Amino acid sequence: MSWREKSRARSKIWSSRTERARNTRQSYQQFAATMIDLFWSPRINAKNYRGLIDLGGFDEFARTVGPTGPCIFATCHYGNFEWSGLTVGYLGMPATIIAQEFKNPKLDPIFNRLRQQSGHQMAQREGAIVRLFKTLRRHGSVA
């Protein structure tokens, strides 16, 4: 199935053109809000993050999973996934993160700096499996 056919099949999920337009607009609005929040995030730190970020479920997550051993985090890009990543670092579970490189390589250092501020380390996709495995063997976390 081609990309175009898959796209058409997905678009039939919503019954009308108006619904598709609304969902498309909302998706772009959510993405824009997430990017604005990410660029605002240098104002967040280990002392104030709990007052700025809704941690619904994170306390239970930290209590049950916690920084007690190796952990693999798989994150979906739903809601403000960038602040979720920062929160995990501030909860004491910094991870080695693999992220898609940008087509414009000048953007990578900017986004990596923003994502690393709570203690995470970024790893390039080239050779990532080996680096992630080594991190897990040292009882680290990866995402």
Side-chain angles (χ1 to χ4, degrees), residues 111-125:
F111 279 82
N112 288 348
R113 180 179 43 82
L114 293 168
R115 290 171 174 157
Q116 290 174 333
Q117 67 190 12
S118 65
H120 299 304
Q121 295 178 4
M122 301 302 292
Q124 293 182 352
R125 288 179 60 186

Side-chain angles (χ1 to χ4, degrees), residues 85-103:
L86 291 175
T87 301
V88 170
Y90 289 132
L91 284 169
M93 296 176 274
T96 299
I97 298 174
I98 306 300
Q100 176 76 34
E101 291 89 4
F102 289 92
K103 290 181 182 178

